[in-house]
Amino acid sequence: LQSNSCGPDFAEENTSSEEQAMIKIAGNSYLASPSLPDFHGCSPGWSSAFYGAECFDSEVHSYLKNLGKQKSSESQNIDAKKVELEQLLMMETKNYRKTIKFYQKLLQKERRSKGPETKSMLPKLKGQLQEMKSKVQFLELVKKYQMMYAEQWGVESYVLPAVIHNGKTDTMDMAPMDESSLLLYYNTEKHQCNNQNGVRVLQAGTPLGLMAYLYSRNAFLEGYVQQFLYTFRYFCTQEEFLQFLLDRISSTLSSASLDPSTSLAKICNRSFYILQAWIEDCYSVDFATNTDLLGTLKEFISSKVASLNGYGERLLSLLEDAAARKSGSTDQCSGLGKCEEESEEGRKTLHSLCRKLSEDVSRKNFYWKLSKGMAPIAQYQRERLHTGSAVLPKPCCSSFTEETSVSFARADEVGPFLLIECSAQQLCWQLTLLQQEVFHKCHPVHFLNSRALGVKDKCVAAPKAVSADTVSLKVCNLFLSKCIQDQYLLQLLKNADSISTWVAAEIVTCHTTKRQVSLLSKFLLTAKCCYEQRNFATAMQILAGLENLIVRQLPAWKILPAKVAEIMEELKAVEVFLKSDSLCLMEGDRFKTLPTIPSAHVLAMHVQQLETGGFTMTNGAHKWTKLRNIAKVVSQVHAFQENPYTYAPDFKLQSYLRQRITRFKDADISALAADNCANFHQIPAEKHSRKIQDTLRRMKATFQ
């Protein structure tokens, strides 16, 4: 790896002064007693799995390299880098926040008076905002790269055999071993990096080889660690992976504090960082659902690690925080370690700062395109039902349970009238918040191996008569047999099916054709508003309800306004777009600033398509290129969770919607439609009588 690869443009400096300084500082402090402020979160995050080695380019490395230098001749100082970067980011963030507030005031003024001065100032200010946003985003990326302290403990290719053998033998005393039996590479084209002829990229490996590659140089920066954490269940169980890490810690812990530059010290420290990244990113899917695995880890830390260095105390604290977030937090966005509280009051992330601006821009100028080969969908006049009072924040009730009980008592009395009265935008916002609540509880790993859970194309995840706990794992199971799989995807898909059934039930239970037309229009406009706000999950759920066989045959469709009826074809075109490409929602920069909720079923189908075919080569090695592509697709779940919707919740409307959805979730649409005469085509009485007379006349003629 050292002689044949260069990784990112900035990462191949064999023994730079920066790395030596970091190892020296880390070796004298981390193993002895790491202070909590210096023990940073090390989960690479979704961007590492999605972009890979391209996540951090040479510009980021060069910028970080020059930070903390008072003079060009002075050596780099890590603490100075941290201080300067934090100050720059704080200053740029405050300026950006002030500019956004000024922009919003001008936007409101322009809507009221539409003065020429305000109109001419808005484009200039918008350009300044884009520049400031890019700068803040770049500093956030530099900060994330600076937090990759785990990379200092990466080892070279010839040390990987020592990692396989528990790290008991130092590389200075062992003979060279054949690496081809563990890992398989392929050569890329000529790459301009330190005048080398090419780059070797990992293609396949044995389970032990793939686990050992976690210790290789640049594994964090190239995205391998995050991709591994998403996909390792295809070739090893959680218990096997944990035991692999604990064995490396046990065999190297006693000698790791002697010399931080030795391979044993690097293996020990890298093991702790990998373990920490695993807990931060996958606690909810691996440790929370497997008490034996969690118990084994806690017992090992308490008995062998906590008494020797600060790693043990930090990991136990990390496990406690992860358990608290799993049980009590409903607002987590993208996993553990991602929702850190800022020390400065008023400090906000890039996404929260961009959100209101992006929402204003998207509502003002929304132009949907399917792809280059398909014509853009025509834009229709949006329903003008949301007045100034409608978009004001609703007063929060003192107790959600009180509001729920009141709504439960009145839900059946009100019926579908409340749906007709509220605007499509209000309905869109509250359905989006309800959908966001269930979507933010899912994890990228939940979308893997969905065939084993019974998830199929154009059908629900499991039969309604069968609970999620009784789903049989048949031959379609792609995980190892002893690998425990969280089945939250079934809940997500069952929720989607309940909303679709609710939409169909509300329509067929309307007792007049006029009300059916009103409700059809409301659902169509709501679905349009949802996908315009990038809530594709609810939009597709409403579409599925409207495409119900009974609903599609209703007479109300014939008298529906033409422009409203055309939205149905628009929604079908959006569905085709979502199914066309697994990464269609990640194109461009819209997903970075605008909240997004994908369709869970469509995403599961994309992952199933990637899972089709063998995972191993003829020599038994697992195809890492296949696993890497799967990790890239599922990583968008965390990407979308980073940027939540900020609509004002209407608890009364939400409670009403919950009750109606719960009431109709298992309803038989055919039975409901049979009790309502508005669902049938009515034949006029005179015409009906004439048909009977003609029939009798023909029958009489046959007997003559």
Side-chain angles (χ1 to χ4, degrees), residues 349-503:
T349 63
L350 171 65
H351 296 294
S352 61
L353 291 176
C354 298
R355 195 172 302 130
K356 289 186 178 180
L357 171 66
S358 301
E359 288 174 358
D360 291 338
V361 174
S362 65
R363 284 195 291 267
K364 192 173 182 182
N365 298 316
F366 185 87
Y367 187 65
W368 180 260
K369 289 185 178 181
L370 294 182
S371 66
K372 294 181 179 179
M374 304 179 70
I377 297 176
Q379 294 297 305
Y380 307 110
Q381 184 67 31
R382 178 174 295 192
E383 182 190 31
R384 301 178 61 88
L385 294 178
H386 47 280
T387 60
S389 60
V391 298
L392 291 176
K394 304 295 180 181
C396 297
C397 59
S398 58
S399 173
F400 181 75
T401 55
E402 294 177 3
E403 195 65 51
T404 302
S405 62
V406 174
S407 178
F408 180 78
R410 298 179 180 178
D412 291 339
E413 299 175 5
V414 175
F417 301 114
L418 185 58
L419 294 177
I420 299 175
E421 291 176 359
C422 68
S423 69
Q425 187 185 61
Q426 287 177 312
L427 196 58
C428 165
W429 285 3
Q430 302 313 313
L431 286 174
T432 297
L433 292 178
L434 293 178
Q435 185 64 38
Q436 179 174 261
E437 183 179 337
V438 295
F439 173 66
H440 278 192
K441 295 178 182 179
C442 72
H443 190 278
V445 176
H446 289 143
F447 291 87
L448 305 179
N449 194 30
S450 58
R451 282 193 183 93
L453 302 178
V455 180
K456 299 178 181 179
D457 195 9
K458 295 183 179 180
C459 69
V460 295
K464 295 180 180 179
V466 181
S467 64
D469 298 332
T470 60
V471 176
S472 176
L473 302 182
K474 299 180 180 180
V475 293
C476 55
N477 186 17
L478 299 175
F479 286 176
L480 296 188
S481 58
K482 295 183 180 180
C483 188
I484 298 178
Q485 182 175 5
D486 192 349
Q487 299 182 1
Y488 182 74
L489 178 62
L490 294 180
Q491 301 180 33
L492 201 61
L493 297 179
K494 186 177 181 181
N495 175 78
D497 184 58
S498 299
I499 294 177
S500 299
T501 306
W502 162 69
V503 170

Side-chain angles (χ1 to χ4, degrees), residues 321-332:
D321 294 342
R325 292 180 181 181
K326 170 66 177 176
S327 59
S329 175
T330 58
D331 300 326
Q332 64 180 5

Side-chain angles (χ1 to χ4, degrees), residues 93-353:
T93 303
K94 287 182 178 179
N95 292 337
Y96 186 45
R97 183 171 64 248
K98 291 179 181 178
T99 309
I100 284 182
K101 291 181 179 179
F102 182 59
Y103 176 82
Q104 290 175 336
K105 290 181 180 179
L106 285 181
L107 197 62
Q108 293 176 357
K109 185 177 180 181
E110 187 264 343
R111 287 172 179 171
R112 295 193 195 102
S113 61
K114 298 183 179 180
E117 297 180 358
T118 306
K119 270 191 173 182
S120 61
M121 191 180 301
L122 279 174
K124 297 179 181 179
L125 189 59
K126 185 178 178 182
Q128 294 177 5
L129 278 173
Q130 294 296 331
E131 294 179 2
M132 297 176 71
K133 181 183 73 173
S134 300
K135 191 168 185 179
V136 174
Q137 189 175 10
F138 178 77
L139 291 176
E140 290 275 0
L141 191 61
V142 174
K143 181 182 178 182
K144 188 174 183 181
Y145 172 57
Q146 188 196 29
M147 294 174 64
M148 291 287 191
Y149 292 101
E151 204 55 84
Q152 63 191 296
W153 305 113
V155 299
E156 304 299 340
S157 173
Y158 56 85
V159 184
L160 294 182
V163 176
I164 294 292
H165 295 91
N166 288 339
K168 295 180 179 179
T169 305
D170 201 352
T171 56
M172 298 297 293
D173 300 327
M174 59 180 293
M177 295 183 63
D178 185 14
E179 187 189 356
S180 61
S181 61
L182 302 173
L183 299 169
L184 181 64
Y185 304 88
Y186 67 88
N187 295 322
T188 62
E189 297 179 357
K190 185 175 181 180
H191 193 274
Q192 294 179 355
C193 180
N194 295 338
N195 296 324
Q196 295 183 7
N197 295 326
V199 179
R200 287 201 309 170
V201 181
L202 183 63
Q203 182 181 12
T206 63
L208 280 178
L210 294 175
M211 286 189 283
Y213 196 76
L214 291 167
Y215 294 76
S216 65
R217 187 187 179 102
N218 299 326
F220 272 87
L221 293 177
E222 292 176 352
Y224 178 83
V225 173
Q226 188 66 45
Q227 294 163 356
F228 180 93
L229 293 177
Y230 285 159
T231 59
F232 73 86
R233 297 154 197 84
Y234 288 108
F235 54 86
C236 73
T237 64
Q238 294 96 332
E239 287 80 6
E240 292 172 348
F241 180 40
L242 178 62
Q243 194 60 47
F244 180 87
L245 296 177
L246 299 186
D247 288 343
R248 272 77 206 156
I249 295 175
S250 299
S251 59
T252 58
L253 189 60
S254 60
S255 58
S257 59
L258 300 178
D259 186 359
S261 63
T262 62
S263 62
L264 293 181
K266 291 183 177 182
I267 291 173
C268 181
N269 283 280
R270 178 61 80 95
S271 299
F272 279 114
Y273 272 105
I274 295 171
L275 184 59
Q276 181 186 347
W278 186 17
I279 296 173
E280 288 176 350
D281 197 81
C282 300
Y283 177 88
S284 61
V285 294
D286 288 327
F287 295 96
T289 58
N290 192 338
T291 55
D292 293 337
L293 186 74
L294 183 60
T296 301
L297 177 58
K298 286 185 175 180
E299 181 181 358
F300 178 85
I301 295 174
S302 302
S303 61
K304 296 187 178 181
V305 181
S307 60
L308 297 180
N309 58 53
Y311 274 123
E313 180 182 351
R314 173 59 180 176
L315 289 175
L316 289 176
S317 176
L318 187 65
L319 288 172
E320 293 178 359
D321 294 342
R325 292 180 181 181
K326 170 66 177 176
S327 59
S329 175
T330 58
D331 300 326
Q332 64 180 5
C333 298
S334 60
L336 308 172
K338 302 287 178 68
C339 303
E340 299 178 355
E341 296 181 357
E342 300 292 348
S343 57
E344 301 87 358
E345 185 178 359
R347 172 79 177 272
K348 296 182 179 180
T349 63
L350 171 65
H351 296 294
S352 61
L353 291 176

Side-chain angles (χ1 to χ4, degrees), residues 538-581:
T538 303
M540 294 300 101
Q541 291 160 8
I542 294 176
L543 175 62
L546 296 176
E547 285 189 320
N548 182 279
L549 183 61
I550 304 297
V551 176
R552 289 300 292 164
Q553 296 177 353
L554 295 178
W557 287 98
K558 292 185 177 182
I559 58 176
L560 199 66
K563 285 191 174 181
V564 178
E566 288 173 348
I567 299 178
M568 191 69 177
E569 300 303 319
E570 187 176 338
L571 292 173
K572 292 180 180 179
V574 174
E575 183 182 29
V576 172
F577 167 76
L578 295 176
K579 293 181 178 180
S580 63
D581 185 6

